[in-house]
Amino acid sequence: MKSLKFIPTVLACILFCGQLIAQVINIPNKSEKHFSEKYPKAANVNWKNNVTDYSASFDQDNLKHKAHYHMDGVWDYTETFLTEDKFPADVKSALTKSRYSEWKILSADLVENNKGEKMYRYELKKGIEKKYIFFDKDGKEVKSKSTI
């Protein structure tokens, strides 16, 4: 008899969990329109609501990308995931000669933003500290950002 009382509770939990998994992400029309115009050859597009912004991960030209959009649908920036060997020689040389030359490279990306800037970004790590270092195509350090 006790097991019969338990069945409705289990069914309710299953239905509730199913609803959580099946939530639909409402992407602003402005984002979808911009994305389809800017990346008409995008394949395997996967939109995600990141609470403070939206992002679309996708493949194009045999590379992985991630486009970021503000909550109001305005495009912010796009990351193109590269390997360091795809970076310009001046950028690689600048990192080698910089104060971060001994830091471990975690990732290397090309970042294009809504101001028309294209920057090469290294994600670096030393101990528990992480840094993002941005270079222009000529190897000039443009900015850096620290995280833990």
Side-chain angles (χ1 to χ4, degrees):
M1 189 67 161
K2 288 182 181 179
S3 62
L4 290 177
K5 290 179 183 177
F6 185 68
I7 291 173
T9 304
V10 170
L11 288 174
C13 286
I14 291 170
L15 288 172
F16 177 73
C17 291
Q19 289 296 320
L20 288 177
I21 293 168
Q23 285 183 352
V24 176
I25 299 171
N26 293 321
I27 306 302
N29 290 338
K30 190 176 193 177
S31 297
E32 289 180 327
K33 184 175 190 273
H34 175 271
F35 182 85
S36 63
E37 290 171 357
K38 186 163 180 71
Y39 306 106
K41 297 178 188 173
N44 304 316
V45 180
N46 183 25
W47 284 93
K48 185 175 179 185
N49 181 337
N50 303 311
V51 180
T52 59
D53 68 355
Y54 296 99
S55 62
S57 299
F58 62 100
D59 299 329
Q60 183 172 291
D61 302 325
N62 297 316
L63 294 170
K64 298 216 176 282
H65 306 266
K66 190 176 210 178
H68 296 265
Y69 290 84
H70 295 286
M71 292 304 285
D72 63 0
V74 174
W75 175 66
D76 190 17
Y77 66 97
T78 298
E79 303 166 276
T80 300
F81 303 104
L82 303 172
T83 54
E84 187 192 16
D85 63 312
K86 304 273 192 228
F87 275 23
D90 290 341
V91 174
K92 292 187 285 189
S93 175
L95 181 67
T96 303
K97 295 175 184 174
S98 77
R99 61 194 177 277
Y100 305 109
S101 62
E102 300 299 317
W103 289 50
K104 179 181 178 184
I105 298 172
L106 298 178
S107 67
D109 314 309
L110 174 63
V111 178
E112 176 188 4
N113 66 26
N114 60 13
K115 297 174 187 144
E117 300 169 320
K118 288 186 180 182
M119 297 173 282
Y120 294 87
R121 179 182 73 189
Y122 283 102
E123 180 183 11
L124 306 170
K125 184 174 182 177
K126 184 174 185 181
I128 63 166
E129 188 177 5
K130 283 187 182 179
K131 277 200 180 281
Y132 291 96
I133 310 298
F134 296 80
F135 293 93
D136 67 12
K137 65 178 175 42
D138 299 319
K140 179 183 173 202
E141 186 179 324
V142 178
K143 65 180 179 176
S144 65
K145 186 168 73 172
S146 294
T147 62
I148 293 180

